[in-house]
Structure formats: C-alpha cells, structure tokens
Amino acid sequence: MDHSCWTLISSDCYEHPSFAVFIKKTEKAPVGMMAFIGDQRVEFTPMEQNKFQVKINDQDFDLQDNGFLFWPLDRAPVENKVFRNFLFKIIRRQNSYVLDFFPQMMITYDGNSVQVLAGPHVKGQNCGMCGDFNRNTHHEFLDPQMCHLKNGDEMARAWSLETKYCSDKVTKPVCT
C-alpha cells in the first residue's frame, strides 16, 4: 500500500453492516487494525515490539497476557470479568488478540497479520479485500463498484477509507 489510510479487508455488505475490519500500515509493526462491531469502534495500534494499544470508542484498555474483556450490552466493561449478555469479547494470548462476536465471527490480530473467520451467514455477502466469500475465486479482484482490478495494489487503493480516519489523498483506480 502506498498510503497510510485504513483499508477495508472484510465486512458484511448489507445496507447497515454489522461489522467491518480495516488495516493500515504502521511505523511499529506491519499493520494496525480497526474493527467496527455494530457502532462500537475497536482499534489495535502497535506501540513497540509486542506491545499494543487497545482502544474501544477512544477508551484505552490494557489487556495483559491471558486477559480478556467482555463488552456488555447493559453496563460498563470490566477487564477479566465475564458478562452473560455481551456484544463482543477480546481475548489476549501472548501477543495475539482474538475479537469474538455473534454470530460465528472471529478476528485474530498480532501486529503482522489479521485473520477473519466468518460464519456462513456472510457467504456471498462479504466485501472488501477478502472478496465476497462465495467460494468462486474467479471474481475476487473487484472494487466497491464491482469493477475488475489488476492487482492487490489497486485493490488496496479501491477499498481505502477516505473519511475522518485518513489524512492522505488516495487515488482510486479507474473503473474499466
């Protein structure tokens, strides 16, 4: 990527998406990650070797190794306390974080990569750099307007987020 903007890698592309996962280049690690679960923004920023800043809606959380955080529906979150009714949970194992939410969605992040494990309800409805999750690999290099792209570089520019989360000017590929 030739910019430092957030790039969409995976989202359920309904009119009102229930989740969206973005990555961007960072100075301290290959990638940072931001996810929206409903209207909650979860951000992982590499700070130094194997240390990450975890923010949820601009509130800092310091998850220790083997720590976890449930984001309850009806009260303030408390680290390392289990809640029955929650929107999502974050689990830290060594230098890897797992963001788990309903239904059957899991995002794993370690500063070097992001893995999105999507449930069957997203099949054919996913969008972003991961494709549409329909098991047909012939139409994966598509931009948001469903135009064919030449390579991953064009794809990263096509799916970049141009909002208050990006100060760089990104030239989108031309739809041909």
Side-chain angles (χ1 to χ4, degrees):
M1 293 186 289
D2 59 352
H3 59 81
S4 61
C5 297
W6 292 105
T7 298
L8 179 69
I9 61 169
S10 183
S11 176
D12 61 342
C13 285
Y14 297 110
E15 185 176 344
H16 301 285
S18 63
F19 79 95
V21 182
F22 298 87
I23 61 171
K24 75 173 180 177
K25 291 190 301 187
T26 66
E27 292 179 18
K28 311 268 179 168
V31 293
M33 186 191 83
M34 176 174 66
F36 287 90
I37 312 301
D39 59 354
Q40 309 299 315
R41 181 169 46 98
V42 182
E43 193 170 343
F44 295 88
T45 305
M47 301 307 289
E48 56 189 59
Q49 183 69 26
N50 300 324
K51 181 153 177 59
F52 301 89
Q53 179 182 50
V54 179
K55 281 188 173 187
I56 303 172
N57 302 326
D58 295 323
Q59 181 181 354
D60 286 320
F61 291 90
D62 184 23
L63 290 177
Q64 301 299 314
D65 190 20
N66 296 317
F68 59 89
L69 175 74
F70 281 70
W71 192 264
L73 295 172
D74 55 356
R75 63 183 77 155
V78 178
E79 290 177 36
N80 300 318
K81 183 171 182 183
V82 176
F83 291 95
R84 186 178 190 107
N85 296 316
F86 62 93
L87 179 61
F88 61 85
K89 63 184 173 187
I90 302 172
I91 303 164
R92 179 178 176 189
R93 294 280 187 267
Q94 296 176 340
N95 298 312
S96 183
Y97 294 85
V98 175
L99 179 56
D100 186 10
F101 54 100
F102 182 82
Q104 301 173 341
M105 296 295 301
M106 190 177 295
I107 304 165
T108 304
Y109 171 74
D110 67 1
N112 294 303
S113 66
V114 177
Q115 180 181 29
V116 179
L117 298 174
H121 67 287
V122 182
K123 187 175 180 179
Q125 300 299 320
N126 198 66
C127 65
M129 289 191 63
C130 289
D132 62 8
F133 188 46
N134 69 355
R135 297 186 181 249
N136 180 352
T137 59
H138 296 291
H139 295 97
E140 294 301 318
F141 279 92
L142 298 175
D143 74 358
Q145 289 75 42
M146 304 305 287
C147 295
H148 289 277
L149 301 167
K150 296 175 190 163
N151 53 43
D153 226 23
E154 278 193 357
M155 197 169 208
R157 286 184 290 137
W159 289 102
S160 64
L161 189 61
E162 294 185 65
T163 65
K164 63 182 178 181
Y165 301 110
C166 180
S167 59
D168 291 353
K169 174 67 178 149
V170 179
T171 305
K172 302 281 184 165
V174 177
C175 188
T176 56

